[in-house]
Amino acid sequence: MIINKSYDPLIAKTVLQRYWWWPVLFVALFTAVAYAYLRYTKPIYESQMVIQLGERDSAKDLLDIENINTKDSALSSVVELLRSELLFERAVKRLNLNVSLYSKGDLLTEEKYMSSAFNVQPYELMDSSLINQEIHIVVKGQKNIEVNYEYGGKTIRVNGKINEHIRNTHFDIVVKVANSANFKSVSTENDLYFVFNDKKSLSASLIKGLSVVPIDPNAKTISVSFRGHNPKLCRDITNAISESFVDYDRELKRKSSAGILEFIDSRLDSLSNELEDSKDTLMRYSRESRISDPESAGTILSVNISKLQDQLFTLEEEFRALEMVSSSLKENTNRLEVYRLMPEMMGKSYETNLVAKLQSLHDLLETRDDLIYAGATLDNPKIKHIDQKISSKMGQIQRSIKSLETRLSENLSVVKRKINELEVETFDLPEKKLEFNRLKNIQNLNEKYFNLFSEKKVLYEISDAGYTSMNRVLSSPKVNHNPVKPNRQVVYISFIILGLFAGLGVILLRYLMFNEINVVEDLEKILPEKASILGGVPLLKLPLDYSRILVADAPKSILAESMRKIRTNLSYVSPGYKTIAVSSSISGEGKTFVSMNLAGIIAMSGKRTILLDLDFRKPKIHLGFDIENKAGVSTVIAGHCDLDEVIRKSQVENLDVITAGPIPPNPSELLLSEKFISIVEELKKRYDVVLMDNPPVGLVSDGVKNLSDADIPIYVFKSHFSKRNFAMRVRELFEVQQLGSLNVILNGVKRSNSNRYGYGYGYGFGFEDEDEGYVDENYSNIRIGKSGRRRWLRWFKND
């Protein structure tokens, strides 16, 4: 196969003229495919809203108090919360999606959310196996309906009426219909059914359409959109997500505030009881001992003991706080618990060291939650890596707590020892005075811590009251009836471009694989330099059953003029030529037609000419002259008859014919025999020109020797029929067969307005038949055979 790697305008023009309709066909085909795609593809709608995060702390502005609820959360954590299954399931629960309604057509099934001709009100579902199963509704009359479904391998049918309860052992429902006529019409066109939904599986299937994207980190804006096949459902789900987010945020704030206040109240209750007890004890002791004001002698000792008691209480309080932190971390390690522990460290001696580590642990837990919200599993390398960090951080905190507990325990021991020493020193003081001071100190301590916690409670309540979450929806979701997918304009343009490129691809492939010889210029490019071109024979209209001599019947026709020019070129090739051998690559290229009409035009010039049919395998000349083929060249060579017996006169003056004769079993041996050579020599003596119609040399080698021995060997190609690789056979005749010269005729040349076919043969008339026949419009008096016909499927064949 020859591949055309360079640009040839003649080939390009031919390919475009022949295959221009391929892009049109592909564009039309792809447009039809686009229409079908748009017609039978479910549209996808989108509803979108924009949320802005914010908060306001009035107490901080007035009292410079940082609220515990103030969010240190990054925008990404809120995005992950909005994407989470937890929040999405809360949103789905807000919607009335216990039952989904469907309308099933021939090709598509459409969910009828808020747009159905009927509605199903579920009152009770007794059998959970019916969840996610199709339950069909069939109209039986004006108000009668049938509900049927598959259960346990059987079809269950339940009859009932619209707008009335339909009960059985599996469910209790009401099929509500506002317009009975519309409901009946819709049920006739489509199959109507409904499905009891499982909220978790429904959420899992719907969450795929959710998209949460941060817009501006500085403005803390987030885009929340949902895509689905129902625009109203998209709007409602987006609304439900925003409402669920706001409620969830309030719920977390409420739980956090309630927990802190509950802790402060519990401490106040305990201190209040201790303070009352200490006051009562001191009062009783004062009455019993009659001491109201201790002597100043024990003032310094009492002050020192009081200071040590303060230190002891502080150390014990810090020690209890450490025990609480350690216990909380062992029992429940989560972000909220760690976050709640940090306020307990306020004012402690180890606040800076331990709070920083707790904050670092909180950040790691927050990162882990973000990854899990994003869809990461526990086997995810990132989760495992963060878990290792969390475990390491927990170990550091526990070691720090252990170290702090050890240090505090030592300090407690030191303080207690000092108190004991001071108590020993005060042993000599009056017992009543010492006891009074002790009870007084207890009362003062209780009052001090009671006032401290009361102040904290007031400050926190003020701070909590001044804190307001400012999360808001900047753009509310709306029902968008314009689908985002598929985009009709984009689909049509894409398919049209694909069709255009496919059609152009076919044209390009046809160009690259173009393997026909169309014009004389093609022969000039591909033939060896030794080959000379005699001219072209025009393609004439109307088919023939077989080749005929037409030049004699229409001597002024274009065909006759082209043959005359070829005859003239023969005299330039070999002025004294006696023999002419005509062949081609394969059958069907018109060598017999050229041979007959060339012999006729030579005879019309006054030369005695004889035409020999040497194509023993497929003889045709006898058909063109309407003579029998009982005897011919084969019978003369075989010795069955004499030469004079097979010479036949034709209707053309000076032209005789010898047919091929009966098909012999050994055609190659006959043409190579000495008898054949002697026949040719005898004919050369009797006639001026001996023209031999040889078999195709592209298929058999019978006629190669005749081409080599002839004065003028002629090789026939046929326009729009012969392949370019046939020229390789011509090159082989020169190189392998040692052919001295070869002359080429291009047969069946079509007309060109630009007259670019060479040698003045810029003419063409119609279509050729299978048997090489041609007719000019000047041959209206010639009988045309019945078997000629156009091969309309030819353009489907591969070049």
Side-chain angles (χ1 to χ4, degrees):
M1 178 65 69
I2 295 177
I3 303 297
N4 300 303
K5 297 181 180 179
S6 60
Y7 175 70
D8 189 328
L10 295 176
I11 296 178
K13 181 179 180 181
T14 300
V15 171
L16 285 175
Q17 288 176 343
R18 187 179 299 181
Y19 302 110
W20 62 268
W21 50 270
W22 274 105
V24 178
L25 177 63
F26 272 106
V27 167
L29 178 62
F30 276 69
T31 302
V33 173
Y35 172 79
Y37 171 77
L38 293 173
R39 174 66 177 82
Y40 298 108
T41 299
K42 283 186 177 181
I44 297 178
Y45 302 91
E46 182 181 49
S47 183
Q48 186 178 21
M49 68 177 176
V50 177
I51 296 177
Q52 185 178 42
L53 306 180
E55 55 188 18
R56 184 176 63 190
D57 192 354
S58 303
K60 182 178 180 182
D61 299 334
L62 296 174
L63 303 177
D64 196 23
I65 301 173
E66 186 75 29
N67 190 275
I68 193 65
N69 289 307
T70 301
K71 292 181 175 61
D72 189 25
S73 57
L75 189 65
S76 59
S77 63
V78 180
V79 170
E80 294 305 322
L81 174 61
L82 289 169
R83 290 175 179 167
S84 66
E85 294 181 2
L86 169 68
L87 194 66
F88 194 81
E89 287 178 3
R90 286 174 171 241
V92 171
K93 288 179 180 178
R94 288 176 172 270
L95 304 177
N96 185 20
L97 294 177
N98 296 318
V99 173
S100 293
L101 312 177
Y102 296 93
S103 175
K104 184 177 183 181
D106 294 333
L107 295 175
L108 297 178
T109 298
E110 182 180 3
E111 182 180 0
K112 293 292 186 179
Y113 175 81
M114 304 291 289
S115 61
S116 177
F118 71 103
N119 188 26
V120 175
Q121 179 65 47
Y123 283 90
E124 187 177 5
L125 177 63
M126 286 78 81
D127 193 335
S128 61
S129 65
L130 292 182
I131 291 177
N132 296 329
Q133 182 174 337
E134 295 182 5
I135 302 177
H136 296 264
I137 299 176
V138 180
V139 178
K140 293 293 187 179
Q142 188 68 23
K143 291 187 176 182
N144 296 326
I145 59 174
E146 176 190 284
V147 177
N148 63 78
Y149 53 93
E150 296 295 325
Y151 185 84
K154 297 180 180 180
T155 300
I156 306 298
R157 303 181 188 275
V158 183
N159 294 316
K161 294 184 178 182
I162 60 176
N163 300 322
E164 295 183 8
H165 281 266
I166 300 176
R167 299 184 184 89
N168 66 354
T169 57
H170 299 147
F171 54 73
D172 179 7
I173 63 172
V174 173
V175 178
K176 297 183 177 181
V177 176
N179 190 326
S180 301
N182 184 34
F183 175 58
K184 185 175 182 180
S185 174
V186 171
S187 65
T188 304
E189 297 173 357
N190 300 297
D191 181 15
L192 304 179
Y193 66 92
F194 67 93
V195 172
F196 290 107
N197 290 321
D198 174 40
K199 292 296 180 66
K200 278 194 168 293
S201 61
L202 181 63
S203 298
S205 63
L206 290 176
I207 198 172
K208 299 174 183 177
L210 176 66
S211 175
V212 181
V213 180
I215 301 176
D216 187 352
N218 295 325
K220 291 188 176 181
T221 51
I222 302 173
S223 170
V224 180
S225 62
F226 183 81
R227 290 187 175 186
H229 299 298
N230 190 296
K232 294 182 179 178
L233 180 61
C234 294
R235 188 253 338 251
D236 291 349
I237 288 180
T238 311
N239 259 329
I241 290 173
S242 67
E243 295 171 358
S244 298
F245 171 69
V246 173
D247 290 350
Y248 185 72
D249 185 62
R250 291 174 180 171
E251 182 180 337
L252 286 180
K253 176 180 177 294
R254 186 171 59 253
K255 287 182 178 180
S256 177
S257 301
I260 293 174
L261 289 174
E262 182 181 352
F263 171 76
I264 294 176
D265 287 338
S266 65
R267 296 296 298 161
L268 285 174
D269 290 342
S270 175
L271 289 171
S272 176
N273 293 332
E274 292 178 5
L275 180 60
E276 292 296 328
D277 292 341
S278 64
K279 286 181 178 181
D280 293 342
T281 303
L282 181 60
M283 188 176 296
R284 285 195 305 271
Y285 184 77
S286 296
R287 285 197 302 266
E288 293 173 358
S289 63
R290 298 179 181 179
I291 296 178
S292 58
D293 185 16
E295 297 178 1
S296 58
T299 301
I300 296 175
L301 191 59
S302 298
V303 169
N304 292 334
I305 292 175
S306 178
K307 290 181 179 179
L308 290 175
Q309 290 287 356
D310 289 342
Q311 292 181 17
L312 180 63
F313 184 84
T314 301
L315 290 174
E316 288 176 346
E317 186 70 16
E318 290 184 352
F319 193 88
R320 284 196 298 271
L322 281 178
E323 289 180 336
M324 182 189 69
V325 171
S326 177
S327 176
S328 297
L329 290 178
K330 288 180 181 179
E331 293 177 359
N332 188 8
T333 305
N334 58 65
R335 181 160 54 105
L336 181 59
E337 186 64 26
V338 172
Y339 195 74
R340 292 177 57 185
L341 289 175
M342 287 190 283
E344 295 296 320
M345 303 296 104
M346 295 174 59
K348 304 296 188 296
S349 61
Y350 45 78
E351 176 183 0
T352 303
N353 181 28
L354 198 55
V355 167
K357 292 180 180 180
L358 288 174
Q359 180 64 47
S360 177
L361 177 60
H362 175 270
D363 293 341
L364 288 174
L365 291 171
E366 184 180 50
T367 303
R368 185 179 186 271
D369 291 344
D370 289 345
L371 289 174
I372 292 177
Y373 281 137
T377 62
L378 296 179
D379 295 330
N380 190 288
K382 292 184 179 179
I383 295 295
K384 291 182 177 180
H385 182 63
I386 291 178
D387 287 342
Q388 292 177 357
K389 286 187 175 181
I390 292 173
S391 177
S392 176
K393 183 59 68 176
M394 288 284 295
Q396 292 179 11
I397 294 174
Q398 291 292 352
R399 287 192 296 273
S400 297
I401 292 174
K402 194 67 177 177
S403 177
L404 290 171
E405 287 178 344
T406 302
R407 181 168 59 83
L408 290 175
S409 179
E410 293 175 354
N411 293 338
L412 283 171
S413 299
V414 171
V415 172
K416 288 179 179 179
R417 186 175 66 251
K418 288 182 178 181
I419 291 175
N420 291 331
E421 292 174 354
L422 290 176
E423 288 178 348
V424 171
E425 291 179 6
T426 58
F427 183 79
D428 295 335
L429 293 176
E431 182 179 353
K432 293 180 179 180
K433 179 181 176 182
L434 183 63
E435 182 65 17
F436 179 86
N437 290 334
R438 186 183 69 81
L439 294 175
K440 185 65 176 179
N441 289 334
I442 294 174
Q443 177 184 338
N444 292 335
L445 287 174
N446 288 333
E447 287 180 350
K448 176 182 178 180
Y449 284 104
F450 181 82
N451 294 332
L452 176 64
F453 274 93
S454 297
E455 181 183 355
K456 284 187 177 181
K457 179 180 179 181
V458 172
L459 291 175
Y460 183 79
E461 287 176 340
I462 294 174
S463 176
D464 190 47
Y467 174 80
T468 306
S469 177
M470 298 295 289
N471 297 337
R472 55 184 176 176
V473 178
L474 297 182
S475 62
S476 301
K478 299 178 181 178
V479 178
N480 185 6
H481 293 285
N482 297 320
V484 294
K485 288 183 180 180
N487 188 311
R488 299 182 67 86
Q489 184 176 0
V490 172
V491 169
Y492 273 119
I493 292 175
S494 301
F495 274 78
I496 288 173
I497 291 175
L498 286 175
L500 184 61
F501 274 101
L504 293 177
V506 171
I507 291 179
L508 177 61
L509 184 64
R510 288 289 184 175
Y511 176 84
L512 295 175
M513 301 180 66
F514 191 80
N515 194 26
E516 290 183 3
I517 297 172
N518 293 332
V519 293
V520 174
E521 285 87 339
D522 292 340
L523 292 176
E524 292 176 346
K525 293 178 181 179
I526 62 179
L527 288 177
E529 294 182 359
K530 294 182 180 180
S532 58
I533 300 176
L534 295 176
V537 177
L539 174 66
L540 307 180
K541 291 180 179 179
L542 301 179
L544 293 171
D545 285 340
Y546 41 80
S547 298
R548 304 278 298 274
I549 289 187
L550 304 179
V551 293
D553 297 325
K556 295 183 179 181
S557 65
I558 298 174
L559 174 62
E561 182 62 26
S562 66
M563 285 298 177
R564 289 191 186 93
K565 293 194 175 184
I566 292 175
R567 182 184 66 190
T568 302
N569 290 335
L570 291 177
S571 62
Y572 290 111
V573 173
S574 180
Y577 64 88
K578 292 286 291 184
T579 57
I580 300 174
V582 181
S583 186
S584 64
S585 298
I586 60 174
S587 177
E589 293 182 287
K591 66 175 181 58
T592 300
F593 176 80
V594 171
S595 298
M596 293 174 64
N597 284 276
L598 182 58
I601 205 68
I602 293 174
M604 290 169 63
S605 67
K607 292 185 178 182
R608 290 180 295 112
T609 306
I610 187 167
L611 176 62
L612 279 67
D613 188 354
L614 302 183
D615 193 352
F616 295 151
R617 292 178 177 82
K618 195 175 180 182
K620 295 180 181 178
I621 286 180
H622 64 283
L623 300 174
F625 286 97
D626 292 329
I627 57 180
E628 295 181 349
N629 191 31
K630 293 181 179 180
V633 178
S634 63
T635 55
V636 175
I637 296 174
H640 297 308
C641 61
D642 295 331
L643 182 60
D644 293 328
E645 296 179 23
V646 297
I647 297 176
R648 307 292 178 85
K649 293 290 184 181
S650 71
Q651 67 270 28
V652 181
E653 187 178 359
N654 295 324
L655 178 60
D656 292 340
V657 179
I658 301 179
T659 63
I663 299 175
N666 53 346
S668 298
E669 288 78 0
L670 295 181
L671 291 180
L672 297 175
S673 64
E674 293 294 333
K675 180 65 175 178
F676 173 70
I677 297 175
S678 63
I679 291 174
V680 174
E681 292 299 326
E682 177 63 26
L683 293 175
K684 288 167 64 176
K685 296 176 182 178
R686 298 188 187 185
Y687 294 90
D688 297 325
V689 176
V690 178
L691 198 151
M692 295 170 281
D693 181 19
N694 289 279
V697 297
L699 300 176
V700 295
S701 60
D702 301 354
V704 175
K705 188 174 186 308
N706 291 337
L707 289 175
S708 177
D709 294 341
D711 296 332
I712 299 180
I714 296 177
Y715 204 92
V716 177
F717 289 93
K718 186 175 182 180
S719 176
H720 298 282
F721 182 84
S722 300
K723 306 303 178 185
R724 294 181 168 225
N725 52 12
F726 289 178
M728 300 300 297
R729 182 55 174 162
V730 175
R731 189 178 300 276
E732 183 183 341
L733 291 174
F734 279 110
E735 296 176 357
V736 179
Q737 304 295 338
Q738 300 299 317
L739 202 65
S741 63
L742 188 64
N743 306 278
V744 176
I745 293 176
L746 182 60
N747 183 30
V749 180
K750 293 182 179 180
R751 179 173 58 185
S752 171
N753 294 332
S754 60
N755 194 25
R756 296 185 60 186
Y757 289 105
Y759 299 93
Y761 299 108
Y763 312 99
F765 302 90
F767 207 91
E768 73 276 20
D769 74 312
E770 296 179 355
D771 295 317
E772 312 160 1
Y774 303 81
V775 175
D776 193 292
E777 58 267 23
N778 295 321
Y779 299 111
S780 58
N781 59 332
I782 297 177
R783 178 181 60 84
I784 304 301
K786 297 180 179 179
S787 66
R789 62 187 180 276
R790 296 189 178 189
R791 289 170 288 178
W792 59 277
L793 290 174
R794 174 173 296 179
W795 43 266
F796 278 116
K797 296 181 180 178
N798 189 0
D799 288 331

